[in-house]
DNA sequence: CCGGGCTTCTTTAGCGATACAGACGCTCAG
DNA sequence: CTGAGCGTCTGTATCGCTAAAGAAGCCCGG
């Protein structure tokens, strides 16, 4: 069974290919009668409708937009923040009848970058910063939108659009909040930058340069901004940065095992995401420690479950991020293309004055 | 800034287009020296690499596979069962360097069906039964895989591949289990078949024909099999079918409000999914009723959270479903193309003998 | 009866890439 | 000295569709 094309129909009917094409796409360009006959014949011949790929080539557009993740896709589906972002993103895309392609380009996997090259899409969005996949996409001439503010080191001239919150300012607020409560021994939990990065290692602020490069390299600008902000907000407090593991509850728990069992545990812990913070709170309770009373905990994101858990956190408008990212991709004409959304420090029971 | 093509490079360098193409794709077809010069020149001219769409047209393959949902995508991301399936599906696709496209074709939305026509993909998978989108995809000549056994009414000759469990057999086990425990007044909670279907309406078994058509029409074969199986397994028990709402915890709660507050509430409730069953259990507790003791509850799927909740349910291998669906799409040669996976009735504390 | 304007259909010219079938020069066995 | 065989490179023909411009017939006012 060979593929039937518009050409075949045209030949059989003795009309031009263009007429067949018009029968499908521009009814006003031919008589209703001929159109009907063409369509009937098409069905009879087993024609399955205009080929999507050929049409895309001809029109130069695919009406498909990619979302790129730096992790395996299964992670993206398991992270509540990603899911909420995706949901908002997809709602806008669906409303505009655009399709969504999911791409996974793990940090450091050079070969996977070719997925960006091979993707037949009109634009690419990402939840993180200006990661390598984004850069590559722009080299290909594709519009990109990422969801973290520009380069934290000011090292590279910024390109590409983004929708973000001011993570640095938010993190400063977190640091100051803890400082005001009297916390002077604080641990800061961050996720790993790439698959295989040694986890559960701890750094003092003066040892961070290697880490900073790693995070900048993969586009985790939000993490960098948050680390810097918390450090600045805490002033002269004694801070350690703990690379806990992937961005998950389990990593937060593991970090708890690392810092809670020592002789002088931190009086407060900041995690760069709520999932980690919630995991850390579990670790506390497993040790009979009450978050807030025995150790203060702060997160970032303000997931729905964070309210129930009483977690102090930075609220950020996830859905707006997803929605606006989609809108920026869909409307190249839109002029405001670097959007900073408001954030808010939500103080709950997980932070209290140091005893 | 106009688009640079292989042709431009060829013209400038005085070589054939084919040589340029070979420089990118078949290094063995030209001398290393010339290849280098071509690639260098390409970079210099701002060529961004072979165009994905043109390549897809020429090769006849896109290496992209679609997953189609009958709901808005935001639902797909919120349903734990969908997410688990997607995760497994995507792992296989990622390993084979194939891309995933997400399509949403809400039941009844004829216009959205055109998304199937316009998708530049090599195959389509769906979590439900042989819904209209699947049929359309096969009309287009695309391989399809769905995840529910064949047509429950035996009305239509089956086409298309599937990976499923024997929902009917599983449901019979559920019915018999309850029957053995002495339950003779049972409500069966089902999700709505389409957006806008009146929710929280209740039917007796002899009133189901309209419902059955609705579910068959949108490909919810699993629901139909489960309803029939539970009815058959329960024998002469007094059963009502409650259309609770979308497949969500909220619907389960709402159904609870409907059936628990009456003079003679059911002694057991079966929901066609764990999310609904868990929601129903919440409704019980809100009324001071203890699932298991005061009313037995059974679900389908065996989500991770169901174990913690003590919910009796049918375990099904979600991940295998997702994995095999992907493998069927990727390997057209594979001979076994209608796969029935094992299920298991997991009895927990939510079902007990009737008092 | 002429010519402008409308409808309806056709022709031409690609979109950007790759498969395929050579063609050219060179080496080397016979 | 010849011709088979190899490594390189070229020309052409698509892949399936559609934008744009052109041509044929028709209607109509002047």
């Amino acid at each position: 069974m060979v593929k039937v094309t518009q050409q075949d129909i045209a030949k059989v009917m003795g009309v031009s290919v263009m007429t067949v094409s018009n029968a499908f796409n521009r009814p006003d360009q031919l008589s209703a009668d001929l159109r009907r006959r063409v369509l009937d014949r098409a069905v009879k011949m087993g024609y399955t409708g205009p080929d999507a790929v050929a049409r895309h080539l001809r029109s130069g557009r695919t009406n498909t937009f990619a979302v790129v993740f730096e992790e395996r896709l299964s992670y993206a589906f398991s992270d509540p923040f990603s899911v909420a972002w995706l949901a908002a993103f997809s709602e806008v895309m669906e409303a505009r009848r655009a399709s969504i392609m999911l791409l996974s380009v793990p940090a450091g996997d050079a070969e996977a970058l070719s997925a960006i090259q091979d993707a037949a899409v009109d634009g690419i969005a990402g939840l993180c910063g200006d990661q390598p996949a984004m850069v590559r996409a722009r080299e290909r001439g594709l519009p990109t939108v990422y969801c973290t503010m520009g380069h934290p080191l000011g090292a590279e001239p910024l390109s590409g659009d983004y929708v973000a919150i001011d993570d640095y300012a938010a993190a400063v607020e977190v640091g100051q909040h803890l400082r005001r409560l009297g916390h002077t021994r604080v641990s800061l939990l961050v996720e790993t930058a790439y698959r295989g990065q040694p986890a559960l290692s701890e750094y003092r602020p003066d040892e961070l340069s290697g880490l900073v490069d790693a995070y900048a390299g993969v586009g985790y600008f939000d993490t960098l901004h948050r680390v810097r902000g918390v450090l600045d907000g805490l002033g002269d407090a004694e801070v350690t940065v703990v690379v806990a593991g992937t961005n998950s509850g389990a990593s937060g728990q593991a970090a708890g095992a690392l810092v809670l069992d020592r002789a002088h545990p931190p009086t407060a812990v900041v995690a760069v995401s709520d999932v980690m913070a919630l995991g850390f709170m579990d670790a506390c309770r497993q040790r009979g420690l009450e978050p807030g009373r025995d150790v203060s905990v702060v997160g970032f994101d303000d997931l729905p479950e964070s309210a129930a858990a009483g977690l102090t956190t930075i609220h950020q408008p996830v859905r707006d991020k997803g929605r606006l990212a989609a809108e920026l991709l869909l409307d190249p004409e839109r002029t405001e293309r670097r959007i900073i959304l408001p954030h808010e420090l939500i103080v709950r029971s997980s932070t209290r004055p140091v005893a």
Side-chain angles (χ1 to χ4, degrees), chain A:
Chain A
M1 140 153 174
V2 69
K3 180 160 200 175
V4 184
T5 70
Q6 293 186 353
Q7 187 148 226
D8 300 324
I9 301 172
K11 206 167 293 171
V12 168
M13 295 192 68
V15 299
S16 80
V17 207
M18 201 55 228
T19 300
V20 179
S21 173
N22 283 333
F24 284 95
N25 306 310
R26 297 163 54 176
D28 56 316
Q29 293 294 303
L30 74 175
S31 67
D33 174 61
L34 179 56
R35 179 168 131 93
R36 177 116 308 281
R37 285 186 0 249
V38 170
L39 296 183
D40 286 352
R41 185 52 138 283
V43 170
K44 213 164 292 170
M45 292 179 65
Y47 180 65
T48 54
D51 179 87
V53 178
R55 185 185 272 202
H56 293 164
L57 175 61
R58 186 60 244 232
S59 69
R61 301 180 341 99
T62 62
N63 206 30
T64 302
F65 296 86
V67 177
V68 59
F69 296 92
E70 295 194 286
E71 302 281 346
R72 310 182 122 249
L73 294 181
S74 49
Y75 161 78
F77 300 132
S78 71
D79 178 47
F81 185 81
S82 300
V83 167
W85 184 94
L86 256 180
F89 183 86
S90 64
E91 277 169 23
V92 175
M93 288 294 175
E94 274 178 82
R96 300 280 280 267
R97 304 258 122 140
S99 306
I100 298 174
M101 182 177 289
L102 300 181
L103 296 177
S104 157
V105 181
D109 185 342
E111 205 193 332
L113 261 181
S114 68
I116 300 293
Q117 185 64 247
D118 293 337
V121 297
D122 293 341
I124 299 195
L127 277 78
C128 293
D130 200 18
Q131 61 201 82
M134 289 283 146
V135 176
R136 175 64 160 270
R138 282 200 302 280
E139 285 170 4
R140 246 193 79 181
L142 289 175
T144 62
V145 176
Y146 46 90
C147 288
T148 299
M149 269 176 71
H151 202 287
L153 308 179
E156 299 168 23
L158 255 180
S159 46
D161 309 329
Y162 57 76
V163 182
I165 61 167
D166 187 338
D167 283 299
Y168 175 76
V172 168
E173 288 175 40
V174 168
Q176 289 174 341
H177 168 64
L178 290 176
R179 196 63 227 267
R180 265 196 304 273
L181 294 175
H183 295 279
T184 52
R185 196 161 60 248
V186 179
S187 280
L188 182 48
L189 314 188
V190 302
E191 80 278 40
T192 42
Y194 49 89
R195 181 167 295 270
Q197 178 182 11
L200 294 179
S201 42
E202 196 165 6
Y203 303 82
R204 277 176 297 116
D206 58 340
E207 301 169 328
L208 290 180
S209 61
L211 270 192
V212 164
D213 291 343
Y215 288 95
V218 296
Y220 280 16
F221 297 168
D222 46 357
T223 295
L224 284 179
H225 282 132
R226 288 172 190 182
V227 168
R228 272 221 337 211
V230 170
L231 290 175
D232 289 356
L234 279 168
D236 58 354
E238 180 189 327
V239 187
T240 64
V241 174
V242 176
V243 177
T246 58
N247 184 29
S248 64
S251 299
Q253 285 207 28
L258 181 73
V259 303
L260 288 173
D261 297 337
R262 55 183 54 155
H264 294 287
T267 61
V269 163
V270 180
V272 293
S273 73
D274 278 7
V275 274
M276 288 177 67
L278 292 168
F280 181 83
M281 287 169 84
D282 289 341
C284 292
R285 294 209 182 85
Q286 281 163 14
R287 286 164 176 74
L289 301 171
E290 182 57 29
R293 192 194 60 195
D294 301 310
V295 50
S296 285
V297 183
V298 187
F300 276 85
D301 293 344
D302 194 22
L303 303 177
E305 45 266 56
S306 303
L311 175 62
T312 293
T313 189
I314 291 290
H315 175 83
Q316 63 167 316
V318 206
R319 291 189 48 85
D320 287 338
K321 270 190 166 181
R323 184 176 55 76
L324 286 165
E327 287 174 1
L328 283 179
L329 285 181
L330 289 165
D331 301 333
E333 305 305 321
R334 191 182 174 125
T335 50
E336 193 196 7
R337 304 195 66 82
R338 294 188 177 174
I339 303 173
I340 304 290
L341 297 172
H343 63 266
E344 189 186 354
L345 174 66
I346 311 278
V347 178
R348 299 202 181 98
S349 59
S350 73
T351 47
R352 302 225 204 114
V354 68

